[in-house]
Structure formats: C-alpha cells, structure tokens
Amino acid sequence: MELPKIQSVTDLVGKRVLLRLDLNVPIENGVIKDDFRLKKSLATLDFLRNKQVKVIIVSHSESGLSHSLHPVFDYLSKSHLMRFIPDFTSSEGTQMLKDMQTDEVVMIENIRQYHGEMENDPAFAKSLADFADIYVNDAFSVSHREHATIVGLPKLLPSYCGLLFQKEVEELSKVLTPPHPFLFILGGAKFRTKMPVIKKYLDIANFVFIGGALAHPVWSSMGYEMGDSIMPDSDVGLDLEFTKNNEKLCLPVDASVETSDGLVSKNPNQIKPGEIISDAGPLTLRKLAALIKVSKFIVWNGPLGNYEKGFKAGTLELARLIMESDAQSIIGGGDTLAVVDELQAEDKFSFVSTGGGALLDFLAQGGTLPGIEALLASPKR
Ligand code: 3PG
C-alpha cells in the first residue's frame, strides 16, 4: 500500500491546505489533561508552515462541557500564531477564510458542531472543500470514522496524508507480520470493538491476554458469579465460543475485588453477589510478567482495572513490566496513554500510538481504515 504523502507535493507555495488533525484531548474545566496528541500533531503543522501555505486546521472535540476546541487553540497559540474561527459558515467566518494570507494558520471550532460532519453529508464536505486546494489527513486516530472530513473531502480535493498518519500506518503495520513470540494484551471494557480483535489475533499471536472488564463475560460464560462488575450491555450479543479451549488465550487468574471487607484479592470463582472486580490481582501480574519475559513482541491496548475510577495499580505495574522488558512494544488507547503520561515513559516503548478505536479497527481489518481507503481512492490527484 503506497500512501499519498504530503512530502511528495512539489508545488505547495501559496496553496490553501485543509489539515484534518485529531485534537480531541481530555479537557477538564478548560484545562488540557493530556497533550500527547497535540504534541504529535505539530510535525505536520510545522512542515506546512515551512512551505508558505495557508493552513486551515479542522478537528473535533468530544471533551469538556462545551466540547469547544478553544482550550486547544489557546495551547497551540502559545507556540504557533493562529486565529480561531468559531463558525466557518457565518459571514465573518467565511470572510476570514477568504482573506487568508500566505503563512497564515486558522483553526475552525469543533467540526462536529455541524450535523453534516458525522452524517458524512457531501454538501457539507463541499462547503469546506470550497475554501481549500489540498486536503491533508493527519488524524489517523479518527480515520475509522466515515465522517465528512475523513472520507468526504478526499472525493473533492487532491488528498494526502500527514507525517503522524504515515508513522502510525508504518508502525502499526508491523503488528500484521510480527516477530514471535508475540504477546497481545487487551484490557478495558469496549466489548464490541475488542472481541473481534481478540478473535483475529488468536490466529496471529502466540498468546492473547484478556484483561480488565473484557474478562468478565468470559468468566461469566464459565458459570462464575460476577457480582456488580462491569459487564457488556445485553444488546452487544457477544459470541464467546472462540474463547473455549483455546490454548493461546490467557485469562487473569485473580482479581482485586471490592467487598464489604474492603479490597480483597480473589480467584474469579470466589466472587459473591454485590461485589465488584476493580483491578488485576497479584497472581495475574505474576502470570503477565512470565508471559512478557518470554515474548519478543508485545502489543497492549486497554487498562487492567477500572482506571477511570482510580484503580490504576495493575495497569501501572503492567506498564512497568513492559518498559523493563527487551521486547519490542506497541501500545495505544486512551487509558493506556494516560499511564504513559503518568509514568512520563513514552520513550520506553517502541511505539505509542495516538489511536484508540482506530488502532483496534486497523488491526481487526488487517491494516486498513475508511480514511486510508478514501486517501488511496482520491480521484483528484
Ligand atoms: C479518539 O479519541 O479515539 C478519536 O478522537 C476519535 O474520537 P471518537 O471516538 O469520538 O470518534
């Protein structure tokens, strides 16, 4: 697969470039809690700023009360001079875009404020494309979405991918033909997206470890009581047949459980009604340490415990075990990134992906995404 790269364009000077970034970062009370994605987005922005172009930044935000990108604009404005457009469809917004000068950068407010974005409305895509000569997708982590700024714009403009996008595809493609022994660790609670990945990687990896809430329906299917632990909604309709008698599938062997006596380590068959599994237990971490020790390649996505509620110990320990091993390691996903941030440890892993759902879909779909297909099929280059 030869991606169309922005570096291949020779006549960029003076062009209007619509740059799709993923600036969707956790924001609390207007304060950015994790700037990993923002830092990773700067390479393409800087590349374009050196090419004497007009850059129109487009992104979504699902965080904070107002879902506004303004806190991100404030953050980026500290190092990059730019202007903010609250509504590009208003007469002021339209005028600002028309009046852009070479070397100018503008950022449009949360693109999901317009219905046309998530509905992938061709007319909406055209209303944006009319302001640009070139489209650059550097939002790999949104490229599993069939939204107007991901799959609609490549139909209308000469389209390329940015530097972060290229790096993500290059690094994550290694998972498709991995060195062995290969250990895949999946945690968290996104049952619908993660179960197909587990199923697929039982064919590719040597060991697939299911941690966090993902283990609960598997234990439940073995007849164990799960108390009030997180379980998939009844409409998810999981088919767990593939988890039976599979020697490559590794489950936790104990859990840290909230009981009336406080937090207690228990075997999965000892959980009582009303109790809640909140983290991995010590025996599970020992089992993971042994698997990590014999592995040459490790992919990890998702926490081992209820990370958002503060049950972080198991996940932090897993991160340390991977950091200390000699194996190549690729990690990604929201809570996994929070761990990297907490430990200030990005350089201890071979690659830290900005993708969450996109990373999983890329791996489940054998190395492609709707946003990649749209770039490859763009008729305008
Ligand atoms: C992410 O946070 O994974 C991306 O920004 C995509 O966001 P979404 O799940 O809201 O589409």
Side-chain angles (χ1 to χ4, degrees), residues 22 24 37 60 62 112 141-142 144-145 147 354-358:
D22 184 1
N24 182 31
R37 274 190 181 151
H60 70 285
E62 289 291 350
R112 288 192 186 169
S141 44
V142 200
H144 56 316
R145 303 287 183 212
H147 293 174
T354 53

Side-chain angles (χ1 to χ4, degrees), residues 163-364:
L163 305 175
L164 174 61
F165 194 114
Q166 293 164 35
K167 182 81 179 155
E168 291 277 358
V169 171
E170 182 190 321
E171 293 293 332
L172 297 182
S173 295
K174 293 178 184 165
V175 185
L176 307 173
T177 50
H180 293 277
F182 168 21
L183 165 63
F184 199 135
I185 305 168
L186 271 153
K190 289 192 177 141
F191 302 96
R192 209 189 294 265
T193 26
K194 292 189 179 177
M195 283 302 172
V197 184
I198 294 169
K199 195 170 179 184
K200 183 174 175 80
Y201 279 82
L202 280 168
D203 287 338
I204 300 171
N206 299 77
F207 320 102
V208 179
F209 182 92
I210 305 186
L214 291 179
H216 303 171
V218 184
W219 278 334
S220 176
S221 74
M222 295 169 162
Y224 299 158
E225 168 68 46
M226 286 291 104
D228 290 343
S229 309
I230 298 173
M231 289 292 280
D233 292 337
S234 50
D235 65 342
V236 172
L238 292 182
D239 174 8
L240 296 172
E241 209 37 50
F242 73 93
T243 63
K244 308 239 155 63
N245 302 320
N246 194 315
E247 284 179 3
K248 289 180 170 183
L249 189 81
C250 309
L251 286 168
V253 283
D254 62 351
S256 178
V257 182
E258 291 173 75
T259 72
S260 48
D261 298 327
L263 272 187
V264 179
S265 291
K266 289 192 170 208
N267 294 341
N269 59 356
Q270 295 172 325
I271 292 151
K272 298 195 186 123
E275 295 183 342
I276 305 173
I277 300 173
S278 49
D279 206 347
L283 299 177
T284 299
L285 287 161
R286 214 178 292 167
K287 178 172 175 175
L288 273 165
L291 288 170
I292 289 167
K293 202 166 174 193
V294 297
S295 298
K296 283 208 173 110
F297 187 65
I298 301 168
V299 179
W300 170 34
N301 176 295
L304 294 185
N306 199 340
Y307 198 88
E308 280 171 13
K309 292 236 166 93
F311 295 99
K312 300 179 176 183
T315 306
L316 287 169
E317 181 57 18
L318 171 58
R320 286 194 198 97
L321 289 169
I322 298 175
M323 282 157 60
E324 284 162 14
S325 89
D326 294 331
Q328 282 184 60
S329 52
I330 293 186
I331 70 169
D335 289 332
T336 319
L337 294 188
V339 175
V340 174
D341 190 50
E342 189 156 339
L343 296 173
Q344 293 286 300
E346 191 198 335
D347 58 347
K348 299 283 192 305
F349 301 93
S350 311
F351 181 65
V352 181
S353 173
T354 53
L359 176 157
L360 293 170
D361 283 5
F362 181 86
L363 297 184

